[in-house]
Amino acid sequence: MKLNRRLFMGATAAAAASMAAPMVLAAGHGKPRVVVVGGGAGGATAARYIAKDSKGEIDVTLIEPTRMYYTCFFSNLYLGGFRDLASIGHSYGTLAAEYGINVVHDWAIGVDRDTKTVALAGGSSLPYDRLILSPGIDFVDGAVPGWDLSAQNKMPHAYKAGSQSELLKAQIMAMPQGGTFAMVAPPNPYRCPPGPYERVSMVAHLLKHVNPTAKILVADPKEAFSKQGLFEEGWNTHYSGMIERIGPDFGGGNVEVRPDTMELVIDGEVNKVDVCNVIPAMKAGRIVDAAAINDGNWAPVIAHTMQSKMDENIHVLGDSSAQGDMPKSGFSANSQAKVCANAVRGALTGSKVFPAKFSNTCWSLIDTDDGVKVGANYEATDKKIAKTDGSVSQTGEDAALRKTTYEESVGWYAGISADMFG
Ligand SMILES: Cc1cc2nc3c(=O)[nH]c(=O)nc-3n(C[C@H](O)[C@H](O)[C@H](O)COP(=O)(O)OP(=O)(O)OC[C@H]3O[C@@H](n4cnc5c(N)ncnc54)[C@H](O)[C@@H]3O)c2cc1C
């Protein structure tokens, strides 16, 4: 029977129950085949866990256009001068050589859900028994008037790391003394809730050393943001007088940019700026639309397995998924990938499936050794991934605790990189 959308959405609890007594779905064509689209925090982790734990019982193909994945996590630390670019770049060689994953450097451009095949930009197509989509984010067209991808060289987003991060850093270094760095912050929901504000901190840290009379201007459509009290305390302590944030009450949500003249218009007032970091509103990576498993900007999933609510043969991980309470972060994507890998293996080989549990911590660096964090644990319910408990750094903490928090983040970075790429 082919599941239609309504039937499958109503089958959430049944799907979860079926994970307890898994069915071997792939029969008649040799080993079951898993295709993973996107070799980032979600996709690389899922591919590695399925390959590692199935010990050759499942064929795993990973489709990823880039040869080198630059993590967005710690890309702000690169801007601040705490990391070099090479230290946040990772290749796929170990996944191919040691885990037997078929790494295909190409774009997935279409999904035929009837024939269960993925079409690649290079012209070929790949069959799957289970498809895992973890394509990260794309930007909502027209979200910031005056900005589109053709303007990203003049006004970088640097919200996909790599060349955009390098460009933004070069522009900051080339600012005239006393110049202005501007940021257009994104509306909710977006990847890495503290990311723009950690970036403000890291840019301030850099400017304090190379351009101490420079100013930072942030236009923000949100009333409030992640770890706001902690960031504002840190900005007062370390970067007093340098940062001005204009929230929605003062027109921070009513912006237009003019890349040719380097102008940022906030609520009708024209600001001439030297660097303009535009972070537009976000949506799921475009392949989610192509698969037609989106509901609006994101792809709804069943919390127990990360299966699409619209197609039981497709799982969606990380930023692209609409899953409930978890923030869109690398930690979350990695955590979801392990739940998904376990469910996929169970469904395809009959291996034991454990109840889904998730966790996340987002660390941010405000200045040298001044690290803060917010974290939580989550469980799968029939409605969503639901938060069970959480914790956050406090204002006024002593320097030793802040240093320990930063050091934790360095350990986490090494751990998640190894968990993704082997
Ligand atoms: C500045 C910044 C700082 C951040 N800091 C942190 C942090 O400290 N901690 C944290 O946990 N998270 C952080 N994040 C968030 C984190 O980077 C993302 O949430 C995480 O990478 C999401 O994982 P993902 O697998 O969904 O997407 P990604 O990791 O972005 O991976 C998506 C991959 O899919 C590929 N792809 C896209 N479309 C296709 C296609 N059609 N075919 C084939 N491949 C495709 C892309 O090339 C990409 O490699 C930060 C983000 C930013 C921008």
Side-chain angles (χ1 to χ4, degrees), residues 37-43 63-66 69 71-76 92 106-109 134-138 158-160 191-192 195-196 198-199 285-287 317-320 328-333 360-364 412 416 420:
V37 173
I63 306 167
E64 165 60 50
T66 65
Y69 174 86
T71 58
C72 284
F73 22 109
F74 278 25
S75 65
N76 287 330
Y92 294 91
D106 205 341
W107 286 97
I109 54 166
S134 195
I137 52 103
D138 274 305
Y159 236 63
K160 298 183 183 190
R191 69 169 18 167
C192 195
E198 181 187 58
R199 175 168 296 170
R286 289 188 200 286
I287 193 68
L317 303 178
D319 294 350
S320 283
K328 297 184 185 300
S329 75
F331 198 132
S332 297
N360 175 66
T361 302
C362 287
W363 288 268
S364 303
W412 167 77
I416 190 174
M420 290 165 64

Side-chain angles (χ1 to χ4, degrees), residues 117-177:
T117 51
V118 180
L120 304 185
S124 43
S125 92
L126 290 168
Y128 63 82
D129 296 299
R130 286 292 168 110
L131 175 63
I132 299 173
L133 300 181
S134 195
I137 52 103
D138 274 305
F139 300 115
V140 174
D141 290 336
V144 176
W147 192 93
D148 62 21
L149 276 191
S150 68
Q152 70 169 6
N153 236 33
K154 287 192 173 128
M155 294 189 168
H157 54 80
Y159 236 63
K160 298 183 183 190
S163 52
Q164 276 278 301
S165 322
E166 271 192 283
L167 173 66
L168 185 61
K169 184 155 187 177
Q171 291 184 351
I172 298 167
M173 294 305 285
M175 275 170 62
Q177 289 298 308

Side-chain angles (χ1 to χ4, degrees), residues 84-280:
D84 60 24
L85 196 68
S87 76
I88 60 167
H90 305 269
S91 71
Y92 294 91
T94 305
L95 292 183
E98 287 183 23
Y99 295 91
I101 295 169
N102 176 25
V103 179
V104 177
H105 290 300
D106 205 341
W107 286 97
I109 54 166
V111 176
D112 186 326
R113 286 164 45 191
D114 293 325
T115 59
K116 293 208 277 176
T117 51
V118 180
L120 304 185
S124 43
S125 92
L126 290 168
Y128 63 82
D129 296 299
R130 286 292 168 110
L131 175 63
I132 299 173
L133 300 181
S134 195
I137 52 103
D138 274 305
F139 300 115
V140 174
D141 290 336
V144 176
W147 192 93
D148 62 21
L149 276 191
S150 68
Q152 70 169 6
N153 236 33
K154 287 192 173 128
M155 294 189 168
H157 54 80
Y159 236 63
K160 298 183 183 190
S163 52
Q164 276 278 301
S165 322
E166 271 192 283
L167 173 66
L168 185 61
K169 184 155 187 177
Q171 291 184 351
I172 298 167
M173 294 305 285
M175 275 170 62
Q177 289 298 308
T180 301
F181 171 96
M183 172 188 283
V184 177
N188 289 320
Y190 61 95
R191 69 169 18 167
C192 195
Y197 311 98
E198 181 187 58
R199 175 168 296 170
V200 166
S201 310
M202 290 293 93
V203 171
H205 172 85
L206 179 63
L207 289 174
K208 196 166 134 180
H209 290 95
V210 301
N211 192 346
T213 54
K215 297 279 182 240
I216 296 177
L217 176 64
V218 183
D220 201 332
K222 302 182 293 299
E223 292 287 350
F225 59 87
S226 172
K227 294 186 272 194
Q228 184 163 359
L230 295 163
F231 280 114
E232 288 177 347
E233 177 193 55
W235 295 346
N236 280 332
T237 308
H238 303 296
Y239 314 117
S240 177
M242 193 183 237
I243 300 163
E244 182 187 5
R245 173 178 169 267
I246 299 178
D249 291 353
F250 295 92
N254 179 21
V255 298
E256 177 197 335
V257 294
R258 298 175 185 157
D260 289 338
T261 49
M262 287 305 289
E263 288 171 329
L264 166 60
V265 186
I266 305 176
D267 213 22
E269 189 186 307
V270 179
N271 298 270
K272 194 93 181 124
V273 300
D274 298 290
V275 176
C276 194
N277 175 206
V278 177
I279 311 176

